[in-house]
Amino acid sequence: MTDRTTPEGNRTHDLIGIGLGPFNLSLAALTDGIPTTPGARPLTTAFYEQRPAFHWHPGLLIEGATLQVPFLADLTTLADPTSPWTFLNYLRTRDRLYPFYFAEQFHIHRAEYDAYCRWVSEQLPTIHFNHQVDAIRWNTQRSHFEVDYTRLGPDGEAEAPGRTHTRHIALGVGTAPFIPEPLRPLAEAPGIPVIHSADYLHHREELLRADHITVIGSGQSGAEIFLDLLRARPRGIEKIHWLARTQAFAPMEYSKLGLEHFTPDYTHYFHALPEHVRDTLVPQQWQLHKGIDTDTIAAIHDELYRRTLHGGWPDATLTPGVSVRTAGRLSGSGTRIELHLEHTQQNTRSRLTTDAVVLATGYRERPLDTLLTGIAPHIRRDTRGRPRIHTDFRLDLDPTLTGNIYVQNAERHTHGVGAPDLGLAAWRSATIINNITGTTPYPLPRRTAFTTFGLTPHDDPALPAPAPVPGQGSPPSPLTQGRTAGTGCP
């Protein structure tokens, strides 16, 4: 059996993946057995993850919570439905295809998606857990990247350093919980019950023992946590506040045409826009990905209504349009917390005393600078100092580096709201693989939306044929020729 914790030998790989969330796991699944060129040897790959096993948002696997995308947005289906790593094949190996068929569930349980991804991660021999990548450097003499890592023990302690070599790298280090600055000191203080939603289930029992609970954040996680707490509190003495900066507890845009913002067509359109236009668009599109599922909104209202059936109103306060100015421990009260609030429309201020706070304040892309210190001078940046990223997900690097660094879910500023969406995972992985091999092991669709974004429709027969997508057609393979021409950054 393959040693799942130690990379195989010191050979130069074609691709090293750093981090193992769903996106790099998709890349690992789709590179499984793929040849470098037709009839040639398979790609040599390795994926390093510092955790001991795959887990997907374990603190948010609330009972009954489902994905907000259909099950077809698994690791491989939208690039290769015949892959052995599809969700349907996972069900087949578990003798669960018929139960799933009769369940008629298009949106699967979040816990089931987590189990599916873990099953894939346990089968692929190219995945190496307990490996923390420390640094990346470019070796000019050998024209490849050097990746330094530390092999970790069962308890996360450093066991041994190591180094491996690769022609290309895929960064999939994911996102980190975002804690607003006014609440950061309390969240970092020991013994103060201010937690991020990422850790909700780990602290749920402790939170339920609190006399009063405040949930901050108007997205799906905030809604699910508010509903879960509400259902667990006694009728009439719920003692819950739900606060949000947005002007309403708004539903997520889930119309069929609205969902076309999560297609490759829109991604290409967005990437071609000027930088300042992209930066303006992203915050305006918050309801495409930060709203609340309509079923969850309905369940919250139903639960609140149920608690009025015998008279009275639930002791639950839902207030949008509110920001937290400052926060601190209430003097002489142990761990009680005082939140200083401001209502943006009323221009009024108030105070709220609470015993526990759940921050459903979302996630931010992990900074890449620390990991990429060794090649920082070679990274080209935009006017705000962010890495410029080609349409095929390559960092824009100095031409002296003939290898590529691809990013997964670190490109919202260049590729738009679809960057963190699971529905684009397989397409992005296929794009990267096609670019690495210089061939088309995964033919990509020319058109994916009924909406034509912009005034230059790319698939109108009356217009000139579109420019070749990097990695499609027959350019020289970057495995032997260095970086492909590709589409530059605007």
Side-chain angles (χ1 to χ4, degrees):
M1 182 176 178
T2 302
D3 182 349
R4 303 306 310 287
T5 60
T6 304
E8 299 175 17
N10 291 317
R11 61 185 172 180
T12 298
H13 293 80
D14 296 316
L15 175 69
I16 291 288
I18 300 173
L20 198 74
F23 298 136
N24 258 0
L25 184 57
S26 167
L27 188 59
L30 286 170
T31 53
D32 182 39
I34 289 295
T36 54
T37 56
R41 63 173 174 80
L43 284 173
T44 55
T45 65
F47 292 80
Y48 299 163
E49 168 58 49
Q50 64 182 7
R51 297 173 300 173
F54 182 94
H55 291 288
W56 185 71
H57 296 302
L60 281 171
L61 300 182
I62 299 170
E63 185 175 355
T66 61
L67 289 185
Q68 293 174 277
V69 292
F71 73 90
L72 292 173
D74 62 13
L75 301 173
T76 63
T77 292
L78 291 176
D80 180 12
T82 67
S83 165
W85 308 116
T86 64
F87 175 72
L88 289 179
N89 194 46
Y90 162 73
L91 293 178
R92 185 190 65 82
T93 65
R94 295 293 191 269
D95 287 334
R96 295 184 54 230
L97 266 178
Y98 271 93
F100 180 73
Y101 167 58
F102 290 118
E104 297 185 349
Q105 292 180 348
F106 205 48
H107 294 81
I108 63 176
H109 287 268
R110 203 173 291 165
E112 187 171 32
Y113 178 79
D114 174 62
Y116 153 67
C117 288
R118 190 157 45 255
W119 170 76
V120 174
S121 73
E122 290 169 351
Q123 306 297 315
L124 291 172
T126 55
I127 292 172
H128 308 286
F129 294 108
N130 289 318
H131 279 71
Q132 173 185 291
V133 173
D134 304 311
I136 298 169
R137 288 181 302 278
W138 178 252
N139 186 315
T140 304
Q141 287 71 37
R142 300 180 64 180
S143 296
H144 65 215
F145 293 101
E146 295 177 344
V147 179
D148 289 345
Y149 61 84
T150 301
R151 191 169 68 246
L152 307 176
D155 298 322
E157 73 280 5
E159 282 194 342
R163 175 176 296 173
T164 191
H165 312 272
T166 182
R167 297 177 180 86
H168 307 288
I169 290 172
L171 296 176
V173 295
T175 56
F178 173 70
I179 298 176
E181 194 59 40
L183 289 146
R184 190 176 301 277
L186 289 176
E188 294 175 349
I192 303 298
V194 176
I195 68 160
H196 192 272
S197 58
D199 298 315
Y200 170 67
L201 287 183
H202 307 313
H203 296 273
R204 184 176 183 272
E205 297 307 314
E206 171 191 353
L207 290 167
L208 287 174
R209 289 194 295 269
D211 185 56
H212 183 278
I213 309 170
T214 299
V215 178
I216 299 175
S218 63
Q220 183 68 18
S221 296
E224 290 175 351
I225 289 170
F226 175 79
L227 178 60
D228 186 61
L229 292 171
L230 179 64
R231 285 170 168 168
R233 305 284 273 187
R235 187 172 66 86
I237 50 173
E238 294 85 359
K239 296 185 179 181
I240 306 177
H241 267 69
W242 185 15
L243 308 175
R245 288 188 307 166
T246 55
Q247 300 307 313
F249 295 104
M252 183 175 293
E253 167 56 65
Y254 208 76
S255 67
K256 293 180 180 180
L257 289 178
L259 288 175
E260 291 193 340
H261 287 83
F262 300 96
T263 59
D265 281 11
Y266 183 77
T267 301
H268 287 307
Y269 162 79
F270 184 91
H271 187 275
L273 294 172
E275 178 187 328
H276 73 277
V277 177
R278 296 195 306 246
D279 288 343
T280 301
L281 268 178
V282 169
Q284 292 176 352
Q285 295 175 327
W286 66 270
Q287 211 166 336
L288 286 170
H289 60 107
K290 292 185 178 180
I292 306 169
D293 174 77
T294 54
D295 289 341
T296 306
I297 291 177
I300 289 171
H301 192 276
D302 290 348
E303 182 64 27
L304 291 169
Y305 179 76
R306 186 180 66 81
R307 290 167 182 256
T308 69
L309 295 180
H310 303 291
W313 287 71
D315 187 8
T317 303
L318 294 72
T319 310
V322 173
S323 60
V324 178
R325 294 174 49 247
T326 59
R329 189 185 308 188
L330 194 63
S331 178
S333 66
T335 60
R336 299 206 80 195
I337 301 156
E338 186 174 78
L339 304 175
H340 296 181
L341 309 178
E342 181 173 14
H343 195 283
T344 52
Q345 291 181 344
Q346 287 183 324
N347 195 27
T348 54
R349 294 181 175 181
S350 182
R351 297 181 180 184
L352 172 65
T353 300
T354 188
D355 296 284
V357 177
V358 182
L359 301 172
T361 46
Y363 298 79
R364 296 292 186 273
E365 295 172 359
R366 294 185 191 275
L368 304 178
D369 292 342
T370 301
L371 193 59
L372 299 177
T373 298
I375 61 169
H378 302 283
I379 300 174
R380 293 170 171 173
R381 299 180 181 273
D382 64 16
T383 60
R384 295 175 60 177
R386 300 166 300 192
R388 296 172 67 184
I389 302 169
H390 292 273
T391 187
D392 50 22
F393 306 100
R394 293 176 294 123
L395 290 183
D396 190 12
L397 300 175
D398 189 292
T400 58
L401 276 65
T402 55
N404 292 319
I405 297 179
Y406 302 89
V407 295
Q408 302 239 51
N409 195 13
E411 72 280 6
R412 186 178 295 182
H413 63 291
T414 56
H415 288 66
V417 293
D421 190 76
L422 294 176
L424 287 174
W427 169 75
R428 177 169 50 199
S429 295
T431 300
I432 292 171
I433 294 167
N434 289 355
N435 189 258
I436 287 174
T437 62
T439 61
T440 53
Y442 295 109
L444 299 177
R446 286 188 61 189
R447 185 170 183 178
T448 54
F450 291 112
T451 305
T452 298
F453 300 101
L455 294 179
T456 51
H458 70 277
D459 207 25
D460 189 328
L463 295 175
V469 177
Q472 298 192 42
S474 55
S477 169
L479 289 168
T480 57
Q481 298 292 328
R483 179 172 290 106
T484 55
T487 301
C489 296

